[in-house]
Amino acid sequence: ASSAKRSVVLASLRPPPLWVWWIPVVWIISFPVGVTSQPQWHRVHLVPFTDPADKLVDLAINLLLFVPFGYSFAKWRRSVAWLVVAAALTSISAELLQLFSTVRYPSGTDVTYAVAGAIIGAVIADLAARVRGRRRPQPSGAPDRPSREPLR
């Protein structure tokens, strides 16, 4: 009886969505180089687009890093507000890690681009769901509409 219960419990467990696994990926990629025990507050630029260390390639990488996060999150939960919160918190946590780096620059610009990348991923997920919904054969007389509700 206990093995049957365990089988039911194990069968009901689902692996976490991709966006959950993406959080440690962001942390690993953002892990500080030149680690120090003293926070480097003088390297922090909270106001977006004011950091002289911002480079176009770094911003593009940050944007692209969060597209899969947003895509997966949108498939899991259809709320832009929660997506923005989750992406911002993930990015802020990565920026906090960089606070202990003598090489990296924690930046509000990075958080802004991370949220933008996540929103782009969510839009792609929404468009993909709409396209898939239109391609499915509908029963006669049924309206031709996407199978998923649009982003809120």
Side-chain angles (χ1 to χ4, degrees):
S2 103
S3 68
K5 286 181 186 177
R6 188 175 355 176
S7 296
V8 169
V9 169
L10 289 176
S12 67
L13 292 177
R14 293 188 183 115
L18 175 64
W19 71 269
V20 172
W21 292 104
W22 206 250
I23 294 170
V25 169
V26 170
W27 289 340
I28 290 167
I29 290 171
S30 300
F31 196 78
V33 179
V35 178
T36 179
S37 62
Q38 298 297 316
Q40 304 294 301
W41 290 108
H42 65 281
R43 298 175 85 79
V44 176
H45 286 78
L46 293 176
V47 179
F49 312 109
T50 61
D51 186 355
D54 286 341
K55 297 179 191 122
L56 188 58
V57 78
D58 293 336
L59 299 176
I61 289 169
N62 207 354
L63 186 98
L64 293 173
L65 178 63
F66 275 83
V67 170
F69 180 94
Y71 184 90
S72 173
F73 192 96
K75 291 180 75 154
W76 176 74
R77 171 169 265 197
R78 310 294 296 170
S79 168
V80 174
W82 281 112
L83 169 68
V84 169
V85 168
L89 288 175
T90 301
S91 183
I92 289 168
S93 67
E95 297 302 309
L96 286 174
L97 286 173
Q98 294 178 18
L99 189 58
F100 295 93
S101 171
T102 58
V103 180
R104 307 293 294 266
Y105 290 86
S107 165
T109 305
D110 291 345
V111 176
T112 302
Y113 273 82
V115 170
I119 291 171
I120 290 168
V123 168
I124 292 169
D126 187 56
L127 292 173
R130 290 171 189 253
V131 168
R132 279 192 306 271
R134 286 191 191 115
R135 290 186 182 162
R136 287 200 183 118
Q138 299 291 328
S140 61
D144 186 23
R145 62 181 175 195
S147 61
R148 296 188 62 155
E149 64 186 76
L151 289 171
R152 289 181 254 138

CSV table of all heavy atoms in Angstrom, one decimal, residues 45-104:
chain,number,residue,atom,x,y,z
A,45,HIS,N,25.3,51.2,-10.7
A,45,HIS,CA,24.6,52.2,-11.4
A,45,HIS,C,23.2,51.8,-11.4
A,45,HIS,O,22.7,51.0,-12.3
A,45,HIS,CB,25.2,52.3,-12.9
A,45,HIS,CG,26.5,53.0,-12.9
A,45,HIS,ND1,27.6,52.3,-12.6
A,45,HIS,CD2,26.8,54.3,-13.2
A,45,HIS,CE1,28.7,53.2,-12.7
A,45,HIS,NE2,28.2,54.3,-13.1
A,46,LEU,N,22.4,52.4,-10.5
A,46,LEU,CA,21.0,52.0,-10.3
A,46,LEU,C,20.1,52.6,-11.5
A,46,LEU,O,19.2,51.9,-11.9
A,46,LEU,CB,20.4,52.5,-9.0
A,46,LEU,CG,21.0,51.8,-7.8
A,46,LEU,CD1,20.5,52.5,-6.5
A,46,LEU,CD2,20.7,50.3,-7.8
A,47,VAL,N,20.4,53.8,-11.9
A,47,VAL,CA,19.6,54.4,-13.0
A,47,VAL,C,20.0,53.8,-14.3
A,47,VAL,O,21.2,53.9,-14.7
A,47,VAL,CB,19.8,55.9,-13.0
A,47,VAL,CG1,19.0,56.6,-14.1
A,47,VAL,CG2,19.5,56.5,-11.6
A,48,PRO,N,19.0,53.2,-15.0
A,48,PRO,CA,19.3,52.6,-16.3
A,48,PRO,C,19.9,53.7,-17.3
A,48,PRO,O,19.6,54.8,-17.3
A,48,PRO,CB,18.0,52.1,-16.8
A,48,PRO,CG,17.1,52.0,-15.6
A,48,PRO,CD,17.6,53.1,-14.7
A,49,PHE,N,20.8,53.2,-18.2
A,49,PHE,CA,21.4,53.9,-19.3
A,49,PHE,C,22.3,55.1,-18.8
A,49,PHE,O,22.6,56.0,-19.6
A,49,PHE,CB,20.3,54.5,-20.2
A,49,PHE,CG,19.3,53.4,-20.6
A,49,PHE,CD1,18.0,53.5,-20.1
A,49,PHE,CD2,19.7,52.3,-21.4
A,49,PHE,CE1,17.1,52.5,-20.5
A,49,PHE,CE2,18.8,51.3,-21.8
A,49,PHE,CZ,17.5,51.4,-21.3
A,50,THR,N,22.8,55.0,-17.6
A,50,THR,CA,23.8,56.0,-17.1
A,50,THR,C,25.2,55.4,-16.8
A,50,THR,O,26.1,56.1,-16.4
A,50,THR,CB,23.3,56.7,-15.8
A,50,THR,OG1,23.1,55.7,-14.8
A,50,THR,CG2,22.0,57.4,-16.0
A,51,ASP,N,25.3,54.1,-17.0
A,51,ASP,CA,26.6,53.4,-16.7
A,51,ASP,C,27.5,53.5,-17.9
A,51,ASP,O,27.2,53.0,-19.0
A,51,ASP,CB,26.3,51.9,-16.4
A,51,ASP,CG,27.5,51.1,-16.0
A,51,ASP,OD1,28.6,51.7,-16.0
A,51,ASP,OD2,27.3,50.0,-15.6
A,52,PRO,N,28.7,54.1,-17.8
A,52,PRO,CA,29.6,54.2,-18.9
A,52,PRO,C,30.2,52.9,-19.3
A,52,PRO,O,30.7,52.7,-20.4
A,52,PRO,CB,30.7,55.2,-18.3
A,52,PRO,CG,30.5,55.2,-16.9
A,52,PRO,CD,29.1,54.8,-16.6
A,53,ALA,N,30.0,51.9,-18.4
A,53,ALA,CA,30.6,50.5,-18.7
A,53,ALA,C,29.6,49.7,-19.6
A,53,ALA,O,30.0,48.7,-20.1
A,53,ALA,CB,30.8,49.8,-17.5
A,54,ASP,N,28.4,50.2,-19.9
A,54,ASP,CA,27.5,49.5,-20.7
A,54,ASP,C,28.0,49.4,-22.1
A,54,ASP,O,28.4,50.4,-22.7
A,54,ASP,CB,26.1,50.2,-20.8
A,54,ASP,CG,25.3,50.1,-19.5
A,54,ASP,OD1,25.6,49.1,-18.7
A,54,ASP,OD2,24.4,50.9,-19.3
A,55,LYS,N,28.0,48.2,-22.6
A,55,LYS,CA,28.5,47.9,-24.0
A,55,LYS,C,27.4,47.3,-24.8
A,55,LYS,O,26.6,46.5,-24.2
A,55,LYS,CB,29.7,47.0,-24.0
A,55,LYS,CG,30.9,47.6,-23.3
A,55,LYS,CD,32.1,46.7,-23.4
A,55,LYS,CE,33.2,47.2,-22.5
A,55,LYS,NZ,33.5,46.2,-21.4
A,56,LEU,N,27.2,47.6,-26.0
A,56,LEU,CA,26.1,47.1,-26.8
A,56,LEU,C,26.1,45.6,-26.8
A,56,LEU,O,25.0,45.0,-26.7
A,56,LEU,CB,26.2,47.6,-28.3
A,56,LEU,CG,25.0,47.3,-29.2
A,56,LEU,CD1,23.7,47.9,-28.6
A,56,LEU,CD2,25.2,47.9,-30.5
A,57,VAL,N,27.2,44.9,-26.9
A,57,VAL,CA,27.2,43.5,-26.9
A,57,VAL,C,26.8,42.9,-25.6
A,57,VAL,O,26.0,41.9,-25.6
A,57,VAL,CB,28.6,42.9,-27.4
A,57,VAL,CG1,29.6,43.0,-26.2
A,57,VAL,CG2,28.5,41.5,-27.9
A,58,ASP,N,27.2,43.5,-24.5
A,58,ASP,CA,26.7,43.0,-23.2
A,58,ASP,C,25.2,43.2,-23.0
A,58,ASP,O,24.5,42.3,-22.5
A,58,ASP,CB,27.4,43.8,-22.1
A,58,ASP,CG,28.9,43.5,-22.0
A,58,ASP,OD1,29.3,42.5,-22.5
A,58,ASP,OD2,29.6,44.4,-21.5
A,59,LEU,N,24.7,44.3,-23.5
A,59,LEU,CA,23.2,44.5,-23.4
A,59,LEU,C,22.5,43.5,-24.3
A,59,LEU,O,21.4,43.0,-23.9
A,59,LEU,CB,22.9,46.0,-23.8
A,59,LEU,CG,23.6,47.1,-23.0
A,59,LEU,CD1,23.3,48.4,-23.5
A,59,LEU,CD2,23.2,46.9,-21.5
A,60,ALA,N,23.0,43.2,-25.5
A,60,ALA,CA,22.4,42.3,-26.4
A,60,ALA,C,22.4,40.9,-25.7
A,60,ALA,O,21.4,40.2,-25.8
A,60,ALA,CB,23.1,42.2,-27.7
A,61,ILE,N,23.5,40.5,-25.1
A,61,ILE,CA,23.5,39.2,-24.4
A,61,ILE,C,22.5,39.2,-23.3
A,61,ILE,O,21.8,38.2,-23.1
A,61,ILE,CB,25.0,39.0,-23.9
A,61,ILE,CG1,25.9,38.7,-25.1
A,61,ILE,CG2,25.0,37.8,-22.9
A,61,ILE,CD1,27.4,38.7,-24.8
A,62,ASN,N,22.4,40.2,-22.5
A,62,ASN,CA,21.5,40.3,-21.4
A,62,ASN,C,20.1,40.1,-21.9
A,62,ASN,O,19.2,39.4,-21.3
A,62,ASN,CB,21.7,41.6,-20.6
A,62,ASN,CG,21.3,41.4,-19.2
A,62,ASN,OD1,20.8,40.4,-18.7
A,62,ASN,ND2,21.5,42.5,-18.4
A,63,LEU,N,19.8,40.8,-23.0
A,63,LEU,CA,18.4,40.8,-23.6
A,63,LEU,C,18.1,39.3,-24.0
A,63,LEU,O,17.1,38.7,-23.7
A,63,LEU,CB,18.3,41.7,-24.8
A,63,LEU,CG,17.0,41.9,-25.4
A,63,LEU,CD1,16.3,43.1,-24.8
A,63,LEU,CD2,17.1,42.0,-26.9
A,64,LEU,N,19.1,38.8,-24.8
A,64,LEU,CA,18.9,37.4,-25.4
A,64,LEU,C,18.8,36.3,-24.3
A,64,LEU,O,18.1,35.3,-24.4
A,64,LEU,CB,19.9,37.1,-26.4
A,64,LEU,CG,19.9,37.9,-27.6
A,64,LEU,CD1,21.1,37.7,-28.5
A,64,LEU,CD2,18.6,37.7,-28.4
A,65,LEU,N,19.5,36.6,-23.2
A,65,LEU,CA,19.6,35.6,-22.1
A,65,LEU,C,18.2,35.4,-21.5
A,65,LEU,O,17.8,34.3,-21.0
A,65,LEU,CB,20.6,36.1,-21.0
A,65,LEU,CG,20.7,35.2,-19.7
A,65,LEU,CD1,21.2,33.8,-20.1
A,65,LEU,CD2,21.6,35.9,-18.7
A,66,PHE,N,17.4,36.4,-21.5
A,66,PHE,CA,16.1,36.4,-20.9
A,66,PHE,C,14.9,36.0,-21.8
A,66,PHE,O,13.8,35.8,-21.4
A,66,PHE,CB,15.8,37.6,-20.1
A,66,PHE,CG,16.3,37.6,-18.7
A,66,PHE,CD1,17.7,38.0,-18.5
A,66,PHE,CD2,15.6,37.3,-17.6
A,66,PHE,CE1,18.2,38.0,-17.2
A,66,PHE,CE2,16.1,37.2,-16.3
A,66,PHE,CZ,17.4,37.6,-16.2
A,67,VAL,N,15.2,35.9,-23.1
A,67,VAL,CA,14.1,35.5,-24.0
A,67,VAL,C,13.6,34.1,-23.7
A,67,VAL,O,12.3,33.9,-23.6
A,67,VAL,CB,14.6,35.6,-25.5
A,67,VAL,CG1,13.6,35.0,-26.5
A,67,VAL,CG2,14.8,37.1,-25.9
A,68,PRO,N,14.4,33.1,-23.5
A,68,PRO,CA,13.9,31.8,-23.1
A,68,PRO,C,13.1,31.8,-21.8
A,68,PRO,O,12.2,31.1,-21.6
A,68,PRO,CB,15.1,30.9,-23.0
A,68,PRO,CG,16.2,31.6,-23.8
A,68,PRO,CD,15.9,33.0,-23.7
A,69,PHE,N,13.6,32.6,-20.9
A,69,PHE,CA,13.0,32.7,-19.6
A,69,PHE,C,11.5,33.2,-19.8
A,69,PHE,O,10.6,32.7,-19.3
A,69,PHE,CB,13.7,33.7,-18.7
A,69,PHE,CG,13.2,34.0,-17.3
A,69,PHE,CD1,13.6,33.3,-16.3
A,69,PHE,CD2,12.2,35.0,-17.1
A,69,PHE,CE1,13.1,33.5,-15.0
A,69,PHE,CE2,11.7,35.2,-15.9
A,69,PHE,CZ,12.1,34.5,-14.8
A,70,GLY,N,11.4,34.3,-20.6
A,70,GLY,CA,10.0,34.9,-20.8
A,70,GLY,C,9.2,33.9,-21.6
A,70,GLY,O,8.0,33.8,-21.3
A,71,TYR,N,9.7,33.2,-22.6
A,71,TYR,CA,9.0,32.2,-23.4
A,71,TYR,C,8.4,31.1,-22.5
A,71,TYR,O,7.2,30.8,-22.5
A,71,TYR,CB,9.9,31.6,-24.5
A,71,TYR,CG,9.2,30.7,-25.4
A,71,TYR,CD1,8.6,31.2,-26.5
A,71,TYR,CD2,9.1,29.3,-25.1
A,71,TYR,CE1,7.9,30.3,-27.4
A,71,TYR,CE2,8.4,28.5,-26.0
A,71,TYR,CZ,7.9,29.0,-27.1
A,71,TYR,OH,7.2,28.1,-28.0
A,72,SER,N,9.3,30.6,-21.6
A,72,SER,CA,8.8,29.5,-20.8
A,72,SER,C,7.8,30.0,-19.7
A,72,SER,O,6.8,29.3,-19.4
A,72,SER,CB,10.0,28.9,-20.1
A,72,SER,OG,9.7,28.0,-19.1
A,73,PHE,N,8.1,31.2,-19.2
A,73,PHE,CA,7.2,31.7,-18.1
A,73,PHE,C,5.8,32.0,-18.7
A,73,PHE,O,4.8,31.7,-18.1
A,73,PHE,CB,7.8,33.0,-17.6
A,73,PHE,CG,7.1,33.5,-16.3
A,73,PHE,CD1,7.6,33.2,-15.1
A,73,PHE,CD2,5.9,34.2,-16.4
A,73,PHE,CE1,7.0,33.6,-13.9
A,73,PHE,CE2,5.3,34.7,-15.2
A,73,PHE,CZ,5.8,34.3,-14.0
A,74,ALA,N,5.7,32.5,-19.9
A,74,ALA,CA,4.5,32.8,-20.6
A,74,ALA,C,3.7,31.5,-20.8
A,74,ALA,O,2.4,31.5,-20.8
A,74,ALA,CB,4.7,33.6,-21.8
A,75,LYS,N,4.3,30.4,-21.1
A,75,LYS,CA,3.6,29.1,-21.3
A,75,LYS,C,3.1,28.6,-20.0
A,75,LYS,O,2.1,27.9,-20.0
A,75,LYS,CB,4.6,28.1,-22.0
A,75,LYS,CG,4.9,28.6,-23.4
A,75,LYS,CD,5.8,27.6,-24.1
A,75,LYS,CE,5.0,26.4,-24.4
A,75,LYS,NZ,5.4,25.5,-25.5
A,76,TRP,N,3.8,29.0,-18.9
A,76,TRP,CA,3.4,28.5,-17.6
A,76,TRP,C,2.3,29.4,-17.0
A,76,TRP,O,1.4,28.9,-16.4
A,76,TRP,CB,4.6,28.4,-16.7
A,76,TRP,CG,4.4,28.1,-15.3
A,76,TRP,CD1,4.1,26.8,-14.8
A,76,TRP,CD2,4.4,28.9,-14.1
A,76,TRP,NE1,3.9,26.9,-13.4
A,76,TRP,CE2,4.1,28.2,-13.0
A,76,TRP,CE3,4.6,30.3,-14.0
A,76,TRP,CZ2,4.0,28.7,-11.7
A,76,TRP,CZ3,4.5,30.8,-12.7
A,76,TRP,CH2,4.2,30.0,-11.6
A,77,ARG,N,2.5,30.7,-17.1
A,77,ARG,CA,1.5,31.6,-16.5
A,77,ARG,C,1.3,32.8,-17.5
A,77,ARG,O,2.3,33.4,-17.9
A,77,ARG,CB,2.0,32.1,-15.2
A,77,ARG,CG,1.2,33.3,-14.6
A,77,ARG,CD,1.6,33.6,-13.2
A,77,ARG,NE,0.6,32.8,-12.4
A,77,ARG,CZ,0.4,33.0,-11.2
A,77,ARG,NH1,1.1,33.9,-10.5
A,77,ARG,NH2,-0.5,32.3,-10.5
A,78,ARG,N,0.1,33.1,-17.8
A,78,ARG,CA,-0.2,34.0,-18.8
A,78,ARG,C,-0.4,35.5,-18.2
A,78,ARG,O,-1.3,36.2,-18.6
A,78,ARG,CB,-1.5,33.6,-19.5
A,78,ARG,CG,-1.6,32.2,-20.0
A,78,ARG,CD,-0.6,31.9,-21.1
A,78,ARG,NE,-0.9,32.7,-22.2
A,78,ARG,CZ,-0.1,32.8,-23.3
A,78,ARG,NH1,1.0,32.2,-23.3
A,78,ARG,NH2,-0.4,33.5,-24.3
A,79,SER,N,0.5,35.9,-17.4
A,79,SER,CA,0.4,37.2,-16.8
A,79,SER,C,1.7,38.0,-17.0
A,79,SER,O,2.8,37.6,-16.6
A,79,SER,CB,0.1,37.1,-15.3
A,79,SER,OG,0.3,38.3,-14.7
A,80,VAL,N,1.6,39.1,-17.7
A,80,VAL,CA,2.7,40.0,-18.0
A,80,VAL,C,3.2,40.6,-16.7
A,80,VAL,O,4.5,40.7,-16.5
A,80,VAL,CB,2.4,41.1,-19.0
A,80,VAL,CG1,3.6,42.0,-19.2
A,80,VAL,CG2,2.0,40.4,-20.4
A,81,ALA,N,2.3,40.9,-15.8
A,81,ALA,CA,2.8,41.6,-14.5
A,81,ALA,C,3.7,40.6,-13.7
A,81,ALA,O,4.7,41.0,-13.3
A,81,ALA,CB,1.6,41.9,-13.7
A,82,TRP,N,3.3,39.3,-13.6
A,82,TRP,CA,4.1,38.4,-12.9
A,82,TRP,C,5.4,38.1,-13.6
A,82,TRP,O,6.4,37.8,-13.0
A,82,TRP,CB,3.3,37.1,-12.6
A,82,TRP,CG,2.4,37.2,-11.5
A,82,TRP,CD1,1.0,37.2,-11.5
A,82,TRP,CD2,2.7,37.4,-10.1
A,82,TRP,NE1,0.5,37.4,-10.3
A,82,TRP,CE2,1.5,37.5,-9.4
A,82,TRP,CE3,3.9,37.5,-9.4
A,82,TRP,CZ2,1.5,37.7,-8.0
A,82,TRP,CZ3,3.9,37.7,-8.1
A,82,TRP,CH2,2.7,37.8,-7.4
A,83,LEU,N,5.3,38.1,-15.0
A,83,LEU,CA,6.5,37.9,-15.8
A,83,LEU,C,7.6,39.0,-15.5
A,83,LEU,O,8.7,38.7,-15.2
A,83,LEU,CB,6.2,37.9,-17.2
A,83,LEU,CG,7.4,37.9,-18.2
A,83,LEU,CD1,8.3,36.7,-18.1
A,83,LEU,CD2,7.0,38.2,-19.6
A,84,VAL,N,7.1,40.2,-15.5
A,84,VAL,CA,8.0,41.4,-15.2
A,84,VAL,C,8.6,41.2,-13.8
A,84,VAL,O,9.8,41.4,-13.6
A,84,VAL,CB,7.2,42.7,-15.3
A,84,VAL,CG1,8.1,43.9,-14.8
A,84,VAL,CG2,6.9,42.9,-16.8
A,85,VAL,N,7.8,40.9,-12.8
A,85,VAL,CA,8.3,40.7,-11.4
A,85,VAL,C,9.3,39.6,-11.4
A,85,VAL,O,10.4,39.8,-10.8
A,85,VAL,CB,7.1,40.4,-10.4
A,85,VAL,CG1,7.6,40.0,-9.1
A,85,VAL,CG2,6.2,41.6,-10.3
A,86,ALA,N,9.0,38.4,-12.0
A,86,ALA,CA,9.9,37.3,-11.9
A,86,ALA,C,11.3,37.6,-12.6
A,86,ALA,O,12.3,37.3,-12.1
A,86,ALA,CB,9.3,36.1,-12.5
A,87,ALA,N,11.2,38.2,-13.8
A,87,ALA,CA,12.4,38.6,-14.6
A,87,ALA,C,13.2,39.6,-13.8
A,87,ALA,O,14.4,39.5,-13.7
A,87,ALA,CB,12.0,39.1,-16.0
A,88,ALA,N,12.5,40.6,-13.3
A,88,ALA,CA,13.3,41.7,-12.5
A,88,ALA,C,13.9,41.1,-11.3
A,88,ALA,O,15.1,41.4,-11.0
A,88,ALA,CB,12.3,42.8,-12.1
A,89,LEU,N,13.2,40.3,-10.5
A,89,LEU,CA,13.8,39.7,-9.3
A,89,LEU,C,15.0,38.8,-9.7
A,89,LEU,O,16.0,38.8,-9.0
A,89,LEU,CB,12.8,38.9,-8.5
A,89,LEU,CG,11.8,39.8,-7.8
A,89,LEU,CD1,10.7,38.9,-7.1
A,89,LEU,CD2,12.5,40.7,-6.8
A,90,THR,N,14.9,38.0,-10.8
A,90,THR,CA,16.0,37.1,-11.2
A,90,THR,C,17.2,38.0,-11.6
A,90,THR,O,18.3,37.7,-11.2
A,90,THR,CB,15.5,36.2,-12.4
A,90,THR,OG1,14.4,35.4,-11.9
A,90,THR,CG2,16.7,35.3,-12.8
A,91,SER,N,17.0,39.0,-12.4
A,91,SER,CA,18.1,39.9,-12.8
A,91,SER,C,18.7,40.6,-11.6
A,91,SER,O,19.9,40.8,-11.5
A,91,SER,CB,17.6,40.9,-13.8
A,91,SER,OG,18.6,41.7,-14.3
A,92,ILE,N,17.8,41.2,-10.7
A,92,ILE,CA,18.4,41.9,-9.5
A,92,ILE,C,19.2,40.9,-8.7
A,92,ILE,O,20.3,41.3,-8.2
A,92,ILE,CB,17.2,42.5,-8.7
A,92,ILE,CG1,16.6,43.7,-9.5
A,92,ILE,CG2,17.7,42.9,-7.3
A,92,ILE,CD1,15.3,44.2,-8.9
A,93,SER,N,18.8,39.7,-8.5
A,93,SER,CA,19.6,38.8,-7.7
A,93,SER,C,20.9,38.5,-8.4
A,93,SER,O,22.0,38.4,-7.7
A,93,SER,CB,18.8,37.4,-7.5
A,93,SER,OG,18.7,36.7,-8.7
A,94,ALA,N,21.0,38.5,-9.7
A,94,ALA,CA,22.2,38.3,-10.5
A,94,ALA,C,23.1,39.5,-10.3
A,94,ALA,O,24.3,39.4,-10.1
A,94,ALA,CB,22.0,38.0,-11.9
A,95,GLU,N,22.5,40.7,-10.3
A,95,GLU,CA,23.2,42.0,-10.2
A,95,GLU,C,23.8,42.0,-8.7
A,95,GLU,O,24.9,42.5,-8.6
A,95,GLU,CB,22.4,43.2,-10.5
A,95,GLU,CG,21.9,43.2,-11.9
A,95,GLU,CD,23.0,43.3,-12.9
A,95,GLU,OE1,23.9,44.1,-12.8
A,95,GLU,OE2,22.9,42.5,-13.9
A,96,LEU,N,23.1,41.5,-7.8
A,96,LEU,CA,23.6,41.5,-6.4
A,96,LEU,C,24.8,40.7,-6.2
A,96,LEU,O,25.7,41.0,-5.5
A,96,LEU,CB,22.5,41.1,-5.4
A,96,LEU,CG,21.4,42.1,-5.2
A,96,LEU,CD1,20.3,41.5,-4.3
A,96,LEU,CD2,22.0,43.4,-4.5
A,97,LEU,N,24.9,39.6,-7.0
A,97,LEU,CA,26.1,38.7,-7.0
A,97,LEU,C,27.3,39.5,-7.5
A,97,LEU,O,28.4,39.4,-7.0
A,97,LEU,CB,25.9,37.5,-7.9
A,97,LEU,CG,25.0,36.4,-7.4
A,97,LEU,CD1,24.8,35.3,-8.5
A,97,LEU,CD2,25.6,35.7,-6.1
A,98,GLN,N,27.0,40.4,-8.5
A,98,GLN,CA,28.1,41.1,-9.1
A,98,GLN,C,28.6,42.3,-8.2
A,98,GLN,O,29.7,42.8,-8.4
A,98,GLN,CB,27.6,41.7,-10.4
A,98,GLN,CG,27.4,40.7,-11.5
A,98,GLN,CD,26.9,41.3,-12.8
A,98,GLN,OE1,27.0,42.4,-13.0
A,98,GLN,NE2,26.3,40.4,-13.6
A,99,LEU,N,27.9,42.5,-7.1
A,99,LEU,CA,28.3,43.5,-6.2
A,99,LEU,C,29.6,43.1,-5.5
A,99,LEU,O,30.3,44.0,-5.1
A,99,LEU,CB,27.2,43.7,-5.1
A,99,LEU,CG,27.3,44.8,-4.1
A,99,LEU,CD1,27.3,46.2,-4.8
A,99,LEU,CD2,26.1,44.8,-3.2
A,100,PHE,N,29.9,41.9,-5.5
A,100,PHE,CA,31.1,41.4,-4.9
A,100,PHE,C,32.2,41.0,-5.9
A,100,PHE,O,33.0,40.1,-5.8
A,100,PHE,CB,30.8,40.2,-4.0
A,100,PHE,CG,29.9,40.5,-2.8
A,100,PHE,CD1,28.6,40.4,-2.9
A,100,PHE,CD2,30.5,41.0,-1.7
A,100,PHE,CE1,27.8,40.8,-1.9
A,100,PHE,CE2,29.7,41.4,-0.6
A,100,PHE,CZ,28.3,41.3,-0.7
A,101,SER,N,32.2,41.8,-7.0
A,101,SER,CA,33.2,41.6,-8.1
A,101,SER,C,34.0,42.9,-8.2
A,101,SER,O,33.5,44.0,-8.1
A,101,SER,CB,32.4,41.3,-9.4
A,101,SER,OG,33.3,41.3,-10.5
A,102,THR,N,35.2,42.7,-8.5
A,102,THR,CA,36.1,43.8,-8.8
A,102,THR,C,36.1,44.1,-10.3
A,102,THR,O,36.8,45.1,-10.7
A,102,THR,CB,37.5,43.6,-8.3
A,102,THR,OG1,38.0,42.4,-9.0
A,102,THR,CG2,37.6,43.4,-6.8
A,103,VAL,N,35.4,43.3,-11.1
A,103,VAL,CA,35.4,43.5,-12.5
A,103,VAL,C,34.0,43.8,-13.1
A,103,VAL,O,33.9,44.6,-14.1
A,103,VAL,CB,35.9,42.2,-13.2
A,103,VAL,CG1,36.0,42.3,-14.7
A,103,VAL,CG2,37.3,41.9,-12.7
A,104,ARG,N,33.0,43.3,-12.5
A,104,ARG,CA,31.6,43.4,-13.0
A,104,ARG,C,31.0,44.7,-12.5
A,104,ARG,O,31.4,45.2,-11.4
A,104,ARG,CB,30.7,42.2,-12.6
A,104,ARG,CG,31.3,40.9,-13.0
A,104,ARG,CD,31.3,40.6,-14.5
A,104,ARG,NE,30.1,40.5,-15.2
A,104,ARG,CZ,29.4,39.4,-15.4
A,104,ARG,NH1,29.9,38.3,-15.0
A,104,ARG,NH2,28.3,39.5,-16.0
